[in-house]
Amino acid sequence: MIKRFSILFLILIFAEKFFAQACCTVGTSVSSGVERGVITTNSISIALTYQHNILNDTYQGTQSINDPLNRKSTVSDFYLELEYGLAEKISVLLMGGYTNKSRSTTFFDNELQTNKEITFTGQGLTDIVILGKYELITPNIVSPLSINIGGGAKLPTGSYEQENNGSRLSIDLQPGTGATDLLLWTHAAYSLPAISLAFNINSLYRYTGSNLDNYRFGDELLASINSTYSIADFLAVNLQLKARFSDIDFWNGRFLPSTGGTFFDLTPSIIYSEGSFNLRVLFQFPVYRNVEGIQLAISEKLGAEVRYLFNLN
């Protein structure tokens, strides 16, 4: 029994110190709301989003390796998104949700001479995001170009002090970060109605704050390029290339190993529309990984979004 607890203790310490943020941090999940420009005055957009992330790949730099701790992880996110057209060229986006993060570690129990699996789970309400949008350039008959800018904050509404069996979960398994982050956003769209094709580019920069434990996630830049082709009035296909650039995390006066990196993912999706109703189903797979130290990374993502636009005029 003592041997088993000793092994478990060493695994926990090793994972916390040397693989601090490598597991379940899948990035800021605000991609849906920031992929759209300003909505019209006195309209309300309501969206429900589900994303299931599978993290079975481990990287050291750009190389895929066998994980030293035999870790596997999943992250399931449910998000509610509300956007209101506050005035001409101005809308406000509010989103928050519920997350379930699970990580399992497999090790060999010398006493029982068999493999043992330990699972840690964090779940609960997430931090919320408030983002104001302003349409800088409005499309017209002459020019189908739209440019939007905005800013906001991620507020620490989610718990970052959850425990399993009396032990506090690592920060990457917590539903929230415990810190307030500042957000800067840009969006540009260009359409070619004659050939049923549209493009948009988005960027979201997150300037992170520190929580009460003096833990600070690395600053993060999310960027994406989207192309959408309308097959019919009610059906379209979308292809997105998404990039995430993340700095190293910082805690108690030192930078943490195995945090930060560069990630590129490709996401094809199908969009069904009927009037004000919109359904999007997506699948994401990795294109490129370049991480600091050794980290788990997303192997694949499945997701769906249901959105409805209400016009209050």
Side-chain angles (χ1 to χ4, degrees):
M1 181 66 71
I2 294 176
K3 286 183 178 179
R4 276 183 282 174
F5 279 111
S6 299
I7 293 171
L8 174 59
F9 178 76
L10 288 173
I11 287 176
L12 289 173
I13 293 298
F14 188 65
E16 287 291 328
K17 299 301 182 183
F18 295 96
F19 300 90
Q21 192 55 31
C23 169
C24 300
T25 301
V26 297
T28 308
S29 298
V30 296
S31 58
S32 295
V34 302
E35 290 170 2
R36 295 186 294 271
V38 172
I39 63 174
T40 57
T41 308
N42 289 330
S43 61
I44 297 177
S45 173
I46 300 177
L48 291 172
T49 302
Y50 170 72
Q51 295 181 353
H52 181 69
N53 303 271
I54 300 172
L55 295 86
N56 287 343
D57 294 338
T58 302
Y59 284 83
Q60 184 172 25
T62 59
Q63 300 299 313
S64 178
I65 64 170
N66 293 324
D67 188 71
L69 299 178
N70 297 315
R71 296 166 300 169
K72 304 293 182 183
S73 184
T74 60
V75 179
S76 294
D77 296 318
F78 300 85
Y79 279 97
L80 172 63
E81 188 182 296
L82 302 173
E83 187 169 355
Y84 177 64
L86 188 63
E88 185 179 1
K89 298 187 176 185
I90 298 174
S91 63
V92 178
L93 173 70
L94 172 67
M95 66 180 299
Y98 183 90
T99 188
N100 185 303
K101 302 179 180 183
S102 177
R103 178 179 65 207
S104 64
T105 302
T106 303
F107 66 96
F108 186 76
D109 189 316
N110 289 316
E111 184 177 336
L112 298 178
Q113 290 297 298
T114 186
N115 288 328
K116 297 276 289 183
E117 183 178 272
I118 303 171
T119 301
F120 305 93
T121 301
Q123 56 188 337
L125 296 177
T126 67
D127 295 344
I128 64 171
V129 168
I130 300 176
L131 184 70
K133 301 178 179 181
Y134 175 70
E135 190 171 44
L136 198 63
I137 296 178
T138 304
N140 53 51
I141 298 176
V142 178
S143 173
L145 175 66
S146 170
I147 296 180
N148 303 261
I149 59 174
K154 183 190 70 63
L155 304 178
T157 54
S159 171
Y160 69 103
E161 299 177 320
Q162 286 192 3
E163 298 180 351
N164 272 183
N165 299 321
S167 297
R168 186 165 170 178
L169 293 170
S170 59
I171 189 67
D172 59 314
L173 285 173
Q174 300 289 348
T177 66
T180 298
D181 303 337
L182 300 180
L183 305 173
L184 293 175
W185 170 78
T186 59
H187 169 90
Y190 191 88
S191 61
L192 300 168
I195 57 173
S196 303
L197 193 61
F199 301 92
N200 70 69
I201 60 174
N202 310 274
S203 70
L204 181 75
Y205 182 75
R206 182 166 69 108
Y207 179 76
T208 60
S210 299
N211 61 27
L212 294 178
D213 292 332
N214 292 320
Y215 194 102
R216 183 178 184 272
F217 287 90
D219 292 351
E220 182 179 67
L221 174 65
L222 298 176
S224 67
I225 302 174
N226 295 268
S227 62
T228 304
Y229 177 71
S230 296
I231 300 173
D233 291 339
F234 61 91
L235 191 65
V237 291
N238 176 271
L239 185 63
Q240 179 191 75
L241 178 64
K242 180 180 290 185
R244 175 184 170 225
F245 308 94
S246 179
D247 279 344
I248 298 173
D249 295 357
F250 189 80
W251 181 56
N252 276 353
R254 65 186 181 94
F255 291 102
L256 295 181
S258 295
T259 61
T262 299
F263 309 83
F264 285 88
D265 298 281
L266 197 63
T267 308
S269 61
I270 298 175
I271 303 167
Y272 173 81
S273 301
E274 186 174 341
S276 298
F277 174 81
N278 186 288
L279 170 64
R280 179 187 180 194
V281 179
L282 63 89
F283 175 76
Q284 177 180 298
F285 57 91
V287 174
Y288 175 78
R289 303 283 188 255
N290 187 359
V291 304
E292 298 290 336
I294 298 176
Q295 298 186 38
L296 272 181
I298 295 178
S299 312
E300 58 190 64
K301 175 189 289 188
L302 303 172
E305 178 194 71
V306 176
R307 185 167 68 96
Y308 197 89
L309 183 66
F310 296 90
N311 194 325
L312 303 181
N313 290 323

